[in-house]
Amino acid sequence: MPHDIHPRPATARRSTNLSGTIRVPGDKSISHRALMFGGLASGETRISGLLEGEDVLNTGKAMQAMGAKIEKIGAEWIIKGVGNGALLAPEVPLDFGNTGTGSRLTMGLVGVYNFESIFIGDASLSKRPMGRILDPLRQMGAQVKSSEGDRLPVTLHGPDTASPITYRVPMASAQVKSAVLLAGLNAPGVTTVIEPVMTRDHTEKMLAGFGADLSVETGQDGVRTIRLEGQGKLSGQLIDVPGDPSSTAFPLVAALIVSGSDITIRNVLMNPTRTGLILTLQEMGGDIEILDKRLAGGEDVADLRVRSSALKGITVPAERAPSMIDEYPVLAVAAAFAEGTTVMLGLEELRVKESDRLSAVAEGLKLNGVDCTEGRDSLAVRGRPDGKGLGGAGGGEVKTYLDHRIAMSFLVMGLASEHAVRVDDSTMIATSFPEFFELMTRLGATIEVEG
């Protein structure tokens, strides 16, 4: 693993007047699923706008190891799929590097096949809990061997015939929901997933787009029931991947907090399950204009015009957490420059991300002079609108814990702080946003990478 050998620290300094028009890389969730469903479907799938980060490419490699043919021609990715139910046993362990989404969804997809598959990953992924995926797979008949606490490496061997199940998702997790639905593709009969709190719904939308027999009902209490008829045919599709809202968050917050800024971000995914951050920043007084709303591939997209704004602290309700779970680190940075206190509730899921993201954020904020209080599942940030005294005056480095979102969030912080902000490593940013430095510099941000 390159990350462990040569960390590359990076430093961000106070900047002004960010300007320009950018396009962020393709959405990570949709990119993973496009490669998976394309590799599984019959016929040809063509993908444009795919996020070419390490995480997504690891998912592509896993699909190739199970029989899919994947190649890049020009700007398009062309996939010849195996057909639903026809994946081949991988001859080598499937190495997912740092990707939680790729590993968990693929476990669901292949865990019920009557062959052995072995899942491995990097140091960070190997600490993350997989039991939430393995429990429903066990119920469907899969045999599971895993490391202590249901962590990687994991070996799966499916039954002769998988049993469809009705599964109520115990936490708000799109990955668990998706894994069960994908397992259901290779089980006879109907697999049902009951979701008490709606999470990102790309799996349902895309499976239906590829031809799966799938229905979604939402009860009056907001509980969603998703039913999937197994062993149906999936057919190759044309997919244009919209821009990733989680990556959009970094230039967006930077433009709000850096004085004199006015930027436009094109082609951003506006799926309502993913726009919690935009809504929150608008409530805080952020000047974010949503332009040219349109539909692309069954998903809502739009362009965003963002101007520097005087932000005010608010309380972010717990029920908003699933729609912005990856955006809390950069929201905490925005809150550091807001007038008053911002309180974020319902953050327990942050403790099992690439790092314990909640404590990593609190630790980084304190190191850079921000007054904040970390609760068991909450964070309160008391802001300083002029950025006075913020930043690494003592020359300390933010510990990123190999977490790409922690690294990018604190680099954004440095763009509006009185003192520079330095992070201990920036190599892992390539897992989700390979163009981060180039795009931010083009807008006028001062960020230097060492080594």
Side-chain angles (χ1 to χ4, degrees):
M1 273 223 1
H3 303 332
D4 297 355
I5 313 163
H6 297 298
R8 295 180 64 185
T11 303
R13 299 176 198 286
R14 192 157 203 160
S15 307
T16 52
N17 307 340
L18 302 184
S19 67
T21 296
I22 55 170
R23 230 185 125 116
V24 295
D27 182 66
K28 198 171 164 191
S29 297
I30 292 178
S31 294
H32 278 298
R33 289 161 174 81
L35 287 176
M36 289 182 72
F37 302 166
L40 188 67
S42 305
E44 187 176 86
T45 291
R46 303 172 82 98
I47 309 170
S48 53
L50 186 84
L51 168 63
E52 296 179 14
E54 293 163 22
D55 281 10
V56 170
L57 298 181
N58 283 333
T59 295
K61 285 179 194 153
M63 295 308 293
Q64 282 175 308
M66 295 183 288
K69 304 216 167 2
I70 302 179
E71 60 176 338
K72 189 178 182 190
I73 300 176
E76 258 193 339
W77 288 79
I78 315 277
I79 306 176
K80 293 192 172 49
V82 294
N84 185 25
L87 291 172
L88 306 174
E91 289 166 16
V92 293
L94 303 173
D95 185 351
F96 281 90
N98 189 242
T99 170
T101 304
S103 58
R104 288 174 172 149
L105 268 53
T106 307
M107 280 180 193
L109 183 64
V110 299
V112 293
Y113 275 76
N114 186 9
F115 57 61
E116 185 172 274
S117 52
I118 301 171
F119 290 74
I120 59 175
D122 71 6
S124 161
L125 187 63
S126 300
K127 292 193 184 90
R128 297 177 69 179
M130 297 294 165
R132 48 177 67 185
I133 303 297
L134 300 175
D135 290 340
L137 290 177
R138 289 180 177 111
Q139 289 178 33
M140 295 177 86
Q143 291 171 345
V144 177
K145 287 196 286 245
S146 62
S147 303
E148 192 185 339
D150 271 345
R151 290 180 167 79
L152 297 184
V154 165
T155 303
L156 298 176
H157 198 303
D160 287 339
T161 307
S163 323
I165 58 171
T166 294
Y167 192 73
R168 190 181 177 92
V169 184
M171 73 290 288
S173 169
Q175 293 176 356
V176 176
K177 163 177 70 176
S178 300
V180 177
L181 291 172
L182 295 184
L185 286 173
N186 197 39
V190 177
T191 294
T192 305
V193 177
I194 299 165
E195 186 178 46
V197 178
M198 182 170 182
T199 60
R200 52 187 71 176
D201 59 352
H202 310 302
T203 298
E204 300 94 297
K205 284 190 162 160
M206 285 181 81
L207 278 177
F210 274 89
D213 184 353
L214 178 136
S215 69
V216 183
E217 279 172 42
T218 305
Q220 285 172 318
D221 48 3
V223 175
R224 297 172 83 235
T225 303
I226 306 153
R227 293 184 183 84
L228 173 81
E229 178 76 52
Q231 300 185 325
K233 185 179 168 176
L234 302 179
S235 308
Q237 299 295 314
L238 285 174
I239 297 174
D240 183 14
V241 182
D244 192 320
S246 301
S247 298
T248 299
F250 301 105
L252 187 149
V253 167
L256 289 174
I257 63 177
V258 171
S259 64
S261 299
D262 184 350
I263 69 168
T264 300
I265 309 170
R266 292 215 183 283
N267 199 43
V268 179
L269 174 65
M270 295 296 284
N271 180 308
T273 64
R274 301 287 300 282
T275 50
L277 178 73
I278 292 174
L279 177 65
T280 302
L281 291 168
Q282 285 175 325
E283 286 176 5
M284 292 171 76
D287 182 352
I288 305 169
E289 215 180 328
I290 298 168
L291 308 168
D292 189 18
K293 280 189 179 172
R294 52 203 185 269
L295 267 179
E299 293 280 6
D300 300 303
V301 298
D303 303 333
L304 303 178
R305 184 177 179 188
V306 189
R307 286 170 269 214
S308 53
S309 306
L311 301 177
K312 289 190 165 38
I314 62 164
T315 295
V316 189
E319 57 271 19
R320 200 173 290 169
S323 70
M324 54 182 294
I325 197 65
D326 286 326
E327 284 77 72
Y328 283 105
V330 77
L331 173 63
V333 165
F337 298 93
E339 191 183 314
T341 304
T342 301
V343 181
M344 299 160 235
L345 303 170
L347 307 186
E348 56 276 2
E349 196 58 23
L350 283 185
R351 296 216 179 264
V352 294
K353 286 285 181 180
E354 278 80 339
S355 59
D356 175 342
R357 225 173 237 172
L358 184 49
S359 67
V361 169
E363 187 185 310
L365 289 172
K366 285 172 185 159
L367 179 79
N368 287 291
V370 180
D371 179 14
C372 67
T373 309
E374 172 191 356
R376 192 180 55 78
D377 58 0
S378 64
L379 182 65
V381 178
R382 286 165 282 280
R384 219 175 282 178
D386 53 4
K388 265 266 184 291
L390 300 187
E397 291 186 319
V398 174
K399 282 178 77 164
T400 55
Y401 300 97
L402 294 181
D403 189 323
H404 52 127
R405 300 203 197 278
I406 298 292
M408 288 185 278
S409 298
F410 282 100
L411 289 171
V412 166
M413 181 178 181
L415 302 178
S417 303
E418 182 181 1
H419 308 285
V421 172
R422 178 181 155 101
V423 299
D424 65 2
D425 189 13
S426 64
T427 49
M428 80 311 265
I429 289 173
T431 63
S432 71
F433 197 164
E435 307 90 330
F436 174 76
F437 291 106
E438 192 249 329
L439 275 185
M440 295 302 292
T441 308
R442 212 167 73 218
L443 290 173
T446 308
I447 306 180
E448 294 130 30
V449 182
E450 291 164 35

